[in-house]
Amino acid sequence: MIKIIYLSILCAVIACLSTPLIIKISLRLNAVDNPNWRKVHISPMPTLGGLAIFISFMVGLFLIQPQSPYHLAIVIGAFVIILLGFFDDLFHLTAKVKFIVQVAAASIVVFYGGLQVEFINLPFGGQIEFGWFSALVTILWIVGITNAINLIDGLDGLAAGVSAIALFTIAVMAIFMDNVYVLSMSIILFWSILGFLPFNFFPAKVFMGDTGALFLGFMIAVLSLLGFKNVTMISFIIPILILAVPIFDTAVAIVRRVIQKRPISSPDSSHLHHRLVKLGMTHRQTVVFMYVLSGMFGIAAILLSMSTVWGAVLIGAISLIVIQILIETLELIDSKFKPLTNLVKRVRG
């Protein structure tokens, strides 16, 4: 444990020292994010900051040598994802190309590494077996979370901070489960992000770009699965709660675009962080609010892991109500979509 702590601090230092170099490389390669109507920055911003996180993380892996039958497949998949993000930041790849490569990276973990969610035990007996769909369910989870982290990367420090909170929660859960591998991987990645975050927090000097967002999404998706595959239905909710903010934001965005009859992959300025800014919050306040929200869901996940079935149901219900309140207050789907508000009015009236 002491070794992990020392290496974690080293990872933070490496990320902190390498980020200024990555900024210079980004500018030399013209890997910059230009401002537009959807973005809040007003000048071109270097975008390869995720490389600093990745380099720091890989140094930590080399020194700690974590042991797992899935390790090689995870590392290969991570390399595929980091290359995808790098070339996307340079050449702006199409959504189709990115999706294909993401599926390929997830398939490496599933078919070469053997990581699959094969069944879920029901809380009152019996189980749901996925059978032939095991691989598909696992791939969809990995690809979905990978993109969810990328979609919330809209404000300085937002995706990096939310990812760090998710990884810290996963690390805490790994301690409870006595899973040394997941603890090692999540904690060195957590500290790698912390070393980078001072350069990325508002006002940012560098963005982590798709290089960082896709990599973090991929790693969080895989690590969250490692401790919760083939478990009870209640336990399967834990990784969903840990990642509630990006999952919720992505799911609402899909529903919103379907209702508005627009392509699911089309960008818009109605994500959670956009709506909070429009509500009057400053850039920094919005990011801190989403950190707090992520932390609350992380605590809920930890409490759920120690709860009875009915306690878990209560936690789940409260979480859903909080999400619905956010959807209706911020009008994330539509100004007329307010079933909870309307229900409260009927009860009162």
Side-chain angles (χ1 to χ4, degrees):
M1 187 66 182
I2 298 297
K3 181 180 179 181
I4 293 177
I5 294 173
Y6 286 147
L7 287 178
S8 298
I9 296 173
L10 176 63
C11 287
V13 172
I14 293 172
C16 187
L17 294 177
S18 62
T19 299
L21 176 61
I22 297 299
I23 293 175
K24 293 180 180 179
I25 293 173
S26 296
L27 293 173
R28 180 165 295 185
L29 293 175
N30 196 33
V32 296
D33 187 8
N34 293 305
N36 62 33
W37 64 275
R38 292 181 58 245
K39 298 170 182 177
V40 296
H41 60 285
I42 58 176
S43 60
M45 188 72 64
T47 60
L48 296 177
L51 285 177
I53 298 173
F54 179 71
I55 291 168
S56 173
F57 176 69
M58 292 308 296
V59 170
L61 282 192
F62 176 77
L63 294 175
I64 201 170
Q65 296 288 316
Q67 299 296 313
S68 169
Y70 308 114
H71 184 67
L72 181 58
I74 293 172
V75 172
I76 294 173
F79 267 102
V80 172
I81 286 292
I82 206 75
L83 287 173
L84 169 64
F86 177 77
F87 284 111
D88 187 37
D89 285 330
L90 285 179
F91 305 114
H92 306 291
L93 305 176
T94 65
K96 182 179 180 180
V97 170
K98 290 194 286 187
F99 178 75
I100 291 172
V101 178
Q102 289 167 12
V103 170
S107 297
I108 291 171
V109 175
V110 170
F111 295 111
Y112 178 62
L115 176 60
Q116 295 187 29
V117 180
E118 298 172 350
F119 61 85
I120 298 177
N121 292 311
L122 298 174
F124 299 107
Q127 62 182 209
I128 298 175
E129 295 188 9
F130 293 119
W132 292 98
F133 293 101
S134 297
L136 178 61
V137 169
T138 310
I139 290 172
L140 287 176
W141 170 268
I142 295 174
V143 173
I145 298 305
T146 298
N147 283 287
I149 297 297
N150 195 30
L151 283 174
I152 65 167
D153 190 19
L155 294 178
D156 298 357
L158 179 56
V162 169
S163 296
I165 292 167
L167 286 163
F168 183 80
T169 307
I170 292 171
V172 172
M173 299 297 298
I175 293 174
F176 291 158
M177 296 182 297
D178 197 26
N179 192 324
V180 177
Y181 179 76
V182 172
L183 173 62
S184 302
M185 295 281 279
S186 56
I187 207 68
I188 61 175
L189 187 50
F190 168 78
W191 280 96
S192 296
I193 295 172
L194 288 193
F196 166 77
L197 198 53
F199 298 91
N200 185 233
F201 196 73
F202 182 81
K205 298 179 179 65
V206 60
F207 292 162
M208 65 180 182
D210 280 5
T211 306
L214 293 177
F215 168 64
L216 291 180
F218 176 82
M219 291 303 302
I220 290 171
V222 172
L223 291 174
S224 64
L225 272 185
L226 281 176
F228 300 104
K229 71 187 191 77
N230 305 337
V231 291
T232 65
M233 181 71 80
I234 297 300
S235 297
F236 196 68
I237 298 173
I238 293 173
I240 296 176
L241 272 177
I242 291 172
L243 300 163
V245 170
I247 289 175
F248 149 61
D249 195 41
T250 302
V252 170
I254 291 173
V255 172
R256 180 174 62 247
R257 291 164 189 172
V258 169
I259 290 175
Q260 296 174 355
K261 297 181 180 179
R262 295 190 295 112
I264 292 176
S265 60
S266 64
D268 61 30
S269 58
S270 296
H271 286 284
L272 176 58
H273 53 276
H274 291 129
R275 300 301 299 178
L276 289 169
V277 171
K278 290 177 182 178
L279 191 66
M281 286 189 177
T282 65
H283 191 128
R284 191 185 296 266
Q285 287 171 340
T286 300
V287 173
V288 171
F289 175 85
M290 292 188 69
Y291 285 178
V292 172
L293 193 62
S294 298
M296 288 171 58
F297 281 118
I299 292 171
I302 293 171
L303 292 175
L304 187 143
S305 70
M306 299 182 289
S307 300
T308 62
V309 171
W310 291 112
V313 170
L314 178 61
I315 292 171
I318 293 173
S319 299
L320 289 174
I321 291 172
V322 169
I323 289 172
Q324 187 61 35
I325 290 173
L326 286 172
I327 290 173
E328 297 185 16
T329 302
L330 300 175
E331 299 181 351
L332 292 172
I333 292 180
D334 187 86
S335 59
K336 297 179 181 178
F337 182 79
K338 297 186 176 182
L340 184 61
T341 303
N342 294 334
L343 177 62
V344 172
K345 287 180 179 178
R346 288 195 192 98
V347 172
R348 287 181 175 178

